[in-house]
Amino acid sequence: MSHLRRSIVIYRCQNLELETTEPDLQIPRVWLSSGTQPAFDNVPGRIQYCEGAFMPQEPWREPTIEESALLWTQEPPPSYSGVGIVRLPSDILALFAASGLAGLTTPLQVAEFKNEPKCRQVLDNLIEYFKPFCMSDAPPVIGGMGGRQSGLSTATIDNKRGCRNGLHTDSWDGLPLVKKQESTNRICVNLGLDSRYFLFINLTEMDIFEMLGCRDSDVNQPWTRQLTNEFMQRYPDYPVVKLRIAPGEAYIAPTENMIHDASTAQMKHLDIKVMMRGYYRIPL
């Protein structure tokens, strides 16, 4: 059995504690899978998985006290090895509520909403809010806004291949492994009606590289899909973390440096999100 290690950690930003309501505090925040498995989806009409893809292995369970201590931190972690949870302030949430975005029911409606003037207004306010999070001179840039169907164990689609990725690492930056601490990270904001779920293995790519016993000289090469899949083949019982992101919350995560995906499996309404890539700190 592969025991959980301490590497990538989760941090509750202070405004989350201030803004979260009492009922939300009663809902579990984190679960662990039983490992990973080759991906499959037998539901007709859904986009199928890419060849060789992996997904979490059920059942899910809440972590033990000892596992929770490995997963959580009381101090803001480095951007390349931490996941932050932040809640949008009430004035920003009020703008989105007034726009009617959360009530949209199809991806096409979300695509059409993006062309409306009121969309630009609320997104400008969102960008302004996240400006202090930037560690570079460049302001936040909206990298994507979309709606996705509920009921998906993993949700990311590889548009080039026309299939679902399953658990994967991002490679937008194309950096070699030795420079992954310099890679961009991602803010993803939940603007829908339901909690959505961020899935990840709490190991950096360097952790995985070392666990696979790769050659030292290979740290100068970019990460590959083959290494991601090899890890899940060799460590099939290493757990996947499922982190709940409530409506109006965002996560900040080093998706260039971790195996991850999103899940809409427990959602009843359309998954609506906004994403920004850049160099973002996890705030106090």
Side-chain angles (χ1 to χ4, degrees):
M1 179 177 179
S2 299
H3 294 287
L4 192 73
R5 301 187 180 196
R6 184 173 177 85
S7 181
I8 294 174
V9 291
I10 312 166
Y11 176 70
R12 298 180 182 89
C13 301
Q14 287 185 1
N15 84 319
L16 182 72
E17 304 295 344
L18 294 174
E19 299 283 349
T20 301
T21 62
E22 186 63 30
D24 287 335
L25 294 174
Q26 308 306 315
I27 305 173
R29 178 65 78 170
V30 168
W31 296 260
L32 296 177
S33 76
S34 301
T36 55
Q37 63 180 338
F40 64 92
D41 190 335
N42 297 323
V43 178
R46 286 185 181 167
I47 297 176
Q48 292 303 302
Y49 280 101
C50 303
E51 183 178 356
F54 282 82
M55 64 190 296
Q57 169 75 59
E58 296 184 0
W60 295 93
R61 62 176 177 83
E62 293 184 47
T64 65
I65 294 174
E66 293 77 16
E67 289 168 330
S68 292
L70 295 173
L71 288 171
W72 292 93
T73 180
Q74 300 301 314
E75 300 292 335
S79 61
Y80 57 83
S81 61
V83 177
I85 314 168
V86 62
R87 184 164 183 81
L88 298 183
S90 56
D91 58 334
I92 302 291
L93 291 176
L95 289 173
F96 278 107
S99 75
L101 174 62
L104 303 183
T105 58
T106 68
L108 178 59
Q109 289 177 341
V110 177
E112 292 172 344
F113 177 86
K114 289 190 291 185
N115 296 321
E116 297 181 15
K118 62 182 177 181
C119 178
R120 185 68 265 166
Q121 179 187 1
V122 293
L123 292 183
D124 285 346
N125 280 271
L126 188 67
I127 289 171
E128 194 66 28
Y129 171 70
F130 280 115
K131 276 184 179 179
F133 293 54
C134 291
M135 297 187 294
S136 68
D137 294 334
V141 176
I142 303 296
M145 177 181 181
R148 188 162 294 161
Q149 70 183 106
S150 60
L152 300 176
S153 296
T154 69
T156 303
I157 297 171
D158 184 328
N159 290 319
K160 291 183 178 179
R161 295 191 289 167
C163 49
R164 282 153 65 193
N165 277 335
L167 294 163
H168 64 281
T169 60
D170 290 347
S171 56
W172 301 104
D173 297 344
L175 292 176
L177 181 59
V178 72
K179 292 188 175 182
K180 277 305 180 81
Q181 292 187 5
E182 303 171 17
S183 60
T184 56
N185 56 356
R186 175 199 291 172
I187 295 174
C188 185
V189 186
N190 180 6
L191 297 174
L193 295 173
D194 301 327
S195 291
R196 67 192 308 271
Y197 297 86
F198 181 51
L199 310 176
F200 65 96
I201 290 175
N202 72 322
L203 301 171
T204 66
E205 288 182 353
M206 185 62 78
D207 294 329
I208 294 171
F209 180 86
E210 293 172 351
M211 290 173 69
L212 292 177
C214 298
R215 297 177 303 177
D216 290 346
S217 59
D218 287 341
V219 297
N220 295 307
Q221 301 298 319
W223 191 258
T224 66
R225 186 182 301 119
Q226 287 74 19
L227 290 173
T228 296
N229 291 349
E230 182 181 349
F231 171 78
M232 290 183 282
Q233 289 166 351
R234 289 177 53 179
Y235 295 91
D237 51 359
Y238 194 92
V240 176
V241 180
K242 180 168 69 173
L243 177 64
R244 180 175 61 86
I245 307 297
E249 293 179 355
Y251 70 74
I252 307 170
T255 54
E256 296 272 329
N257 197 29
M258 66 194 306
I259 297 173
H260 69 280
D261 208 318
S263 175
T264 67
Q266 295 171 261
M267 301 179 74
K268 297 179 180 179
H269 303 90
L270 192 68
D271 173 31
I272 303 175
K273 64 189 181 302
V274 168
M275 291 188 293
M276 293 172 274
R277 281 182 54 245
Y279 296 95
Y280 302 112
R281 64 183 179 87
I282 296 175
L284 185 64

